[in-house]
Amino acid sequence: MTATSSAVRASLLAAALAASFAMTGCATTARDTQPAAAVSPADPWENWNRKVYAFNDGLDQAVVKPVATVYRDAVPELLRTGVSNFFGNIGDIGSAVNHLLQGKIGSGLEMGFRFLTNTVMGFAGVLDPATEFGMLRRNEDFGQTLAVWGVGSGPFVMLPLLGPSTVRDTFGLVADRQVSASNLAASSGDALAITSLEIVELRASLLDATKLFDQIALDRYSFLRDGYLQRRRSDIYDGAPPFIDEFANDPTEPKPPAPLQKPAPASQVPAPLPKK
């Protein structure tokens, strides 16, 4: 192995260890460490989560973001698209299985055909002819499957190196990683290199989004947490979650006035008593 390749491998290794959110596909974490005034019921471990959040963001700012920026600027877009397609095609296997586990037979079979089409006609998934044929990617993960099976989400948790999650999604993540491109590697070193490339590619695709995130979020931790929980709820209900009245049990929220009662018809009005 040359000195140059060793340096690249070392950089990618550091990137893998510093991936604060990449496994969940979320935006970069922020630098806020002060706890909010009101604790969210979904986040009883907020004090600890904020510390982990600050740690993750420091690693992202120091290692992952710079490496991803160099990758985006140095690697041609066509090649980056091929890398993204390849990883996405591997992910389609897990999505197909989770569709079937959730009882979505039609979409599960479609995702299976999508994987086969891109593997055979798209040079192992580097190209994406399935999308041209109308077979769109519909991502499903095991965290969503657990939710469909009735498993509660549990508290929000900020995972070291992995980013925002819930207790349920953490267990789902362990299962999802069993179907990944790194499992195709012949050695642990190759698996690490593939995982590192996957992380860097994903981070590079989020550079513009995280720039906007840094500009608009006042409390970045709360913004990321609430955004993650809302997105996960939307994913579980396939984009159409049921309405929840957030103030239904809040005694401080003013209640709407009672509806006016219509006057009784004249036939139902009791006749006046006769005068004595």
Side-chain angles (χ1 to χ4, degrees):
M1 181 180 293
T2 65
T4 301
S5 61
S6 297
V8 172
R9 178 65 62 83
S11 297
L12 292 178
L13 172 59
L17 296 177
S20 62
F21 59 80
M23 296 301 183
T24 52
C26 296
T28 185
T29 55
R31 292 173 288 279
D32 304 270
T33 58
Q34 296 299 322
V39 177
S40 169
D43 188 10
W45 305 329
E46 181 173 349
N47 187 43
W48 168 256
N49 285 335
R50 283 181 178 269
K51 295 175 181 178
V52 177
Y53 166 76
F55 168 77
N56 287 349
D57 183 65
L59 290 176
D60 177 70
Q61 295 296 321
V63 181
V64 182
K65 183 177 180 180
V67 173
T69 302
V70 172
Y71 171 81
R72 183 193 62 180
D73 296 341
V75 178
E77 182 179 2
L78 183 62
L79 181 56
R80 287 188 281 114
T81 300
V83 172
S84 178
N85 288 341
F86 173 77
F87 288 129
N89 189 52
I90 299 297
D92 286 344
I93 302 174
S95 291
V97 173
N98 280 294
H99 274 278
L100 296 175
L101 290 175
Q102 295 172 30
K104 303 173 183 177
I105 305 302
S107 57
L109 293 176
E110 181 178 333
M111 287 298 297
F113 283 124
R114 173 185 169 83
F115 168 75
L116 292 175
T117 299
N118 282 344
T119 300
V120 175
M121 302 179 61
F123 302 98
V126 174
L127 302 179
D128 185 14
T131 296
E132 301 296 327
F133 297 154
M135 291 181 286
L136 302 180
R137 174 168 290 135
R138 297 180 175 87
N139 293 322
E140 295 284 344
D141 56 58
F142 196 62
Q144 293 169 253
T145 298
L146 291 175
V148 172
W149 289 352
V151 178
S153 67
F156 175 81
V157 57
M158 186 68 66
L159 298 175
L161 308 179
L162 299 180
S165 185
T166 62
V167 173
R168 178 183 62 207
D169 288 347
T170 300
F171 284 100
L173 178 61
V174 174
D176 291 331
R177 291 308 299 172
Q178 304 309 307
V179 183
S180 63
S182 61
N183 291 331
L184 303 175
S187 66
S188 59
D190 292 338
L192 179 60
I194 292 173
T195 301
S196 301
L197 178 60
E198 184 179 7
I199 292 169
V200 171
E201 187 282 323
L202 177 58
R203 184 64 179 89
S205 69
L206 295 172
L207 286 171
D208 292 336
T210 54
K211 181 179 179 180
L212 178 62
F213 170 77
D214 289 338
Q215 293 174 347
I216 65 175
L218 298 178
D219 180 0
R220 294 169 180 150
Y221 170 83
S222 297
F223 190 91
L224 179 62
R225 176 198 63 201
D226 295 344
Y228 175 81
L229 294 176
Q230 291 175 13
R231 181 180 66 82
R232 290 298 291 169
R233 187 167 183 270
S234 177
D235 290 343
I236 291 168
Y237 288 98
D238 295 329
F243 172 76
I244 294 180
D245 186 357
E246 299 179 359
F247 305 107
N249 299 317
D250 187 352
T252 64
E253 182 67 15
K255 306 302 180 186
L260 297 176
Q261 297 182 354
K262 296 182 180 180
S267 59
Q268 298 181 9
V269 176
L273 298 175
K275 295 182 179 180
K276 294 183 180 180

